[in-house]
Amino acid sequence: RRSAAMIVHMAQHDVLTGLPNRLLFADRRDHGLAQVRRGGMMAVHYLDLDAFKPVNDNLGHQGGDELLALADQLLRELGIKNDPQLELAMRLEELARKDPYFVERNLYPNVDFYSGIVQRAIGNIRAAGFPTLNLDLIYGTPGESLEQWRTSLETAVGLAPDHLSAYALTVEDGTKMAARVRRGELPMPTGDDEADKYELADELLAAAGYGWYEISNWARTPADRCRHNIAYWRSHDWWGVGPGAHSHVDGERWWNLKHPATWAKALAEGDPAAEREALTPEQRADEEVLLGVRLREGLPTDRLTPQGRRAVAGLVADGLVDGREALRGSVVLTRRGRLLADTVVHHLVRSAGA
């Protein structure tokens, strides 16, 4: 087999799947080629060939056959025929300069391989006695096509979770991805592309029996809805624990220091919060609108100011708010309104302050 010389180094098993959290490919000269990290976003990192010595004979662990199959798939996708190890290093480096998410897009859509991993994880979760299962999906990764997103959705539905969340990728300031986007090295999806993917998700999930109850969340039944997150959207109190965690108690909001070492030192000294703020009545009213309109039951119109209530008619005319629900006394977003929720909030809050 062409992958016989490709050695997979086992490191840090995933507790659910039994597969390693890190795959390390090496050539027959014991020189590392690339380290591939599995996770919500998979990236390819190029290592100094002499910086480490991979383990060359550790294939007897659970999942070894699947990992060899993945190596075969990688070689096929890259079209490598001769001297695969050396050529693989060169081709991966070349492709990473042009498209750092080539591996993710060309190997992660291998539905049989990855759905098998997820199915094992789901089986373990069910066997452990958890009554309700959620799957989180992220769309809008660099280079993702609409058909690839459809494959992700259909695969997720086929796994029969009780709850599904679908979020557009957010590129956080200060991350390597944000820097690459600024330099033009990574393409980001357009607003129209993200809208198409959201609409596709809503259509496929509704057809499969999942009802939306919050803009990014769908559940089979009301009992399967995430009560934890509903507490956020209804402005209840919560206390976050750990680096970077946010909390909200009695109208006061604070967030912890992000770096673990800095957070631990501050915690030992008595207060790990980076900043705090006390919400004014006006801020709390605005947040009630911001969060309330995200929910399927909507926001009661009597929670709006008189100016805000007058703005509802225009939003109904624009197709952003359900007219029948408005007559019943609630601001409920249409699908188009869900895509433009920030616009709805802007009009309601702006009118409230007029």
Side-chain angles (χ1 to χ4, degrees), residues 253-325:
R253 185 162 51 204
W254 67 93
W255 46 99
N256 290 345
L257 295 162
K258 291 184 177 181
H259 194 283
T262 307
W263 168 83
K265 183 175 183 296
L267 178 65
E269 295 171 353
D271 186 2
E275 292 186 56
R276 296 176 180 270
E277 63 177 351
L279 302 179
T280 66
E282 292 78 13
Q283 287 174 319
R284 297 180 76 167
D286 287 352
E287 289 201 357
E288 183 179 7
V289 174
L290 170 69
L291 299 172
V293 298
R294 296 183 63 88
L295 296 170
R296 173 64 184 84
E297 61 264 32
L299 179 74
T301 53
D302 62 11
R303 301 301 299 164
L304 299 170
T305 65
Q307 296 91 340
R309 289 195 291 273
R310 285 195 291 271
V312 173
L315 295 169
V316 171
D318 290 338
L320 303 178
V321 168
D322 187 299
R324 292 182 180 180
E325 294 289 350

Side-chain angles (χ1 to χ4, degrees), residues 8-14 18-24 35 38 58 61 67:
V8 184
H9 168 58
M10 179 183 69
Q12 298 180 352
H13 275 73
D14 185 293
L19 291 177
N21 287 327
R22 184 176 65 198
L23 309 182
L24 188 61
Q35 175 176 289
R38 290 196 298 107
N58 200 357
H61 57 86
L67 297 182

Side-chain angles (χ1 to χ4, degrees), residues 8 60 74 79 81 92 114 143 155 177 190 197 212 216 249 259 269 288 303 322 326 332-333 335 343 349:
V8 184
L74 179 60
K81 298 178 180 178
L92 281 175
Y114 286 101
T155 303
M177 179 178 284
T190 65
K197 288 172 180 173
W212 81 275
S216 299
V249 177
H259 194 283
E269 295 171 353
E288 183 179 7
R303 301 301 299 164
D322 187 299
V332 175
L333 300 177
R335 181 187 285 169
T343 297
V349 171

Side-chain angles (χ1 to χ4, degrees), residues 69-149:
L70 179 59
D72 270 340
Q73 176 71 9
L74 179 60
L75 293 172
R76 286 195 298 271
E77 293 292 341
L78 293 175
I80 294 173
K81 298 178 180 178
N82 299 315
D83 193 12
Q85 291 73 38
L86 180 58
E87 189 173 350
L88 176 61
M90 297 172 64
R91 290 294 300 283
L92 281 175
E93 185 173 1
E94 175 188 352
L95 286 166
R97 291 196 195 102
K98 298 177 181 178
D99 181 0
Y101 292 95
F102 172 88
V103 176
E104 179 177 3
R105 288 201 317 278
N106 285 278
L107 293 186
Y108 267 37
N110 183 339
V111 175
D112 291 339
F113 179 80
Y114 286 101
S115 66
I117 294 174
V118 177
Q119 282 179 329
R120 278 201 300 277
I122 289 175
N124 290 340
I125 290 169
R126 297 291 195 196
F130 289 96
T132 305
L133 174 71
N134 167 68
L135 292 179
D136 274 12
L137 303 175
I138 294 180
Y139 58 92
T141 56
E144 177 190 59
S145 70
L146 189 63
E147 285 308 305
Q148 287 170 333
W149 173 233

Side-chain angles (χ1 to χ4, degrees), residues 190-264:
T190 65
D192 287 344
D193 178 74
E194 290 190 339
D196 289 343
K197 288 172 180 173
Y198 180 86
E199 290 179 330
L200 179 61
D202 196 46
E203 290 170 4
L204 292 182
L205 294 178
Y210 295 90
W212 81 275
Y213 70 95
E214 192 275 339
I215 288 177
S216 299
N217 290 271
W218 292 258
R220 284 198 181 278
T221 71
D224 296 322
R225 296 175 179 178
C226 180
R227 293 190 296 274
H228 175 81
N229 285 346
I230 287 174
Y232 296 152
W233 301 317
R234 290 180 176 164
S235 299
H236 294 177
D237 291 339
W238 71 87
W239 197 304
V241 178
H246 286 236
S247 301
H248 174 271
V249 177
D250 294 332
E252 182 181 13
R253 185 162 51 204
W254 67 93
W255 46 99
N256 290 345
L257 295 162
K258 291 184 177 181
H259 194 283
T262 307
W263 168 83

